[in-house]
């Protein structure tokens, strides 16, 4: 069980930092904290898998590559953008509070737990945009009854962090439990 901690600013340039989790698997954690000056970016879950499972940039941390790490905890302190590859990708997002949530791409590690994306800052999922891709975003609600707003660019679950998105060809929004009200604005692209 490995736990890594990286806090911005870091002095490393293009070479960056590589974090390699090892056996036993299923329990390695990377805690990465941004510098509150620069937005952060996370690239997750390539499909098919590669030797790098995730990459974190921005937030003063330079480039952090993760391999064999099952949980990635990001304290963004600014805007946070999550990207995927140029292949067909499925991203599942569960907003937890007005500043936090979880993300998993293609059912692969690492699971991203993000927090401290301030209310005035944005959380966005961007797809690689390959020709003929079939990218799907799944946004989960909670057990509370809430109003869920859905458009061709964003999903807002009650008072939780809004999930902005670009490049998705399909969108699924699960109200989960509770008596939810869905306000849907149609989109020709999602």
């Amino acid at each position: 069980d490995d736990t890594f901690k990286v806090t911005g600013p870091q002095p490393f340039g293009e070479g960056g930092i590589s974090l390699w989790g090892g056996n036993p698997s299923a329990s390695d954690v990377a805690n990465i904290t941004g510098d509150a000056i620069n937005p952060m970016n996370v690239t997750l879950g390539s499909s098919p898998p590669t030797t790098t499972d995730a990459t974190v940039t921005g937030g003063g941390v330079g480039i952090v590559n993760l391999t064999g790490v099952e949980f990635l905890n990001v304290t963004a302190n600014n805007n946070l953008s999550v990207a995927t590859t140029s292949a067909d990708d499925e991203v599942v997002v569960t907003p937890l509070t007005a500043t936090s949530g979880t993300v998993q791409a293609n059912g692969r590690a690492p699971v991203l737990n993000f927090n401290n994306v301030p209310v005035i800052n944005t959380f966005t999922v961007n797809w690689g945009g390959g020709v003929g891709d079939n990218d799907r975003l799944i946004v989960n609600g909670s057990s509370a009854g809430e109003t869920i707003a859905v458009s061709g660019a964003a999903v807002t679950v009650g008072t939780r962090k809004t999930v902005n998105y670009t490049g998705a060809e399909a969108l699924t929004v699960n109200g989960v439990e509770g008596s939810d009200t869905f306000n849907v604005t149609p989109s020709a692209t999602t």
Side-chain angles (χ1 to χ4, degrees):
D1 300 349
D2 299 314
T3 300
F4 304 96
K5 182 178 179 183
V6 179
T7 301
Q10 288 291 323
F12 307 106
E14 289 184 30
I17 300 169
S18 293
L19 306 178
W20 292 76
N23 290 323
S25 60
S27 57
D28 299 311
V29 178
N31 299 309
I32 301 180
T33 302
D35 62 8
I37 298 169
N38 300 293
M40 295 190 76
N41 306 290
V42 178
T43 302
L44 287 176
S46 62
S47 175
T50 65
T51 56
T52 300
D53 299 320
T55 302
V56 180
T57 60
V61 299
I63 300 170
V64 181
N65 295 302
L66 289 84
T67 302
V69 174
E70 289 76 30
F71 300 97
L72 169 58
N73 302 320
V74 171
T75 302
N77 297 319
N78 204 311
N79 295 330
L80 176 62
S81 178
V82 174
T84 61
T85 64
S86 60
D88 295 346
D89 293 301
E90 179 179 276
V91 176
V92 179
V93 179
T94 305
L96 300 174
T97 69
T99 63
S100 68
T102 65
V103 182
Q104 187 172 26
N106 301 313
R108 297 190 56 237
V111 172
L112 167 63
N113 300 300
F114 69 87
N115 65 70
N116 204 27
V117 176
V119 175
I120 62 169
N121 293 98
T122 60
F123 169 74
T124 305
V125 179
N126 300 302
W127 275 267
V131 175
D133 283 356
N134 185 18
D135 298 317
R136 173 180 301 278
L137 172 62
I138 300 171
V139 178
N140 293 318
S142 71
S143 60
E146 49 211 347
T147 299
I148 300 174
V150 181
S151 75
V155 177
T156 302
V157 179
T159 60
R160 299 165 192 273
K161 192 66 184 172
T162 295
V163 179
N164 298 287
Y165 65 94
T166 62
E169 286 79 29
L171 173 66
T172 301
V173 180
N174 298 316
V176 191
E177 300 169 359
S179 297
D180 298 311
T181 300
F182 285 82
N183 295 324
V184 180
T185 302
S187 169
T189 60
T190 310

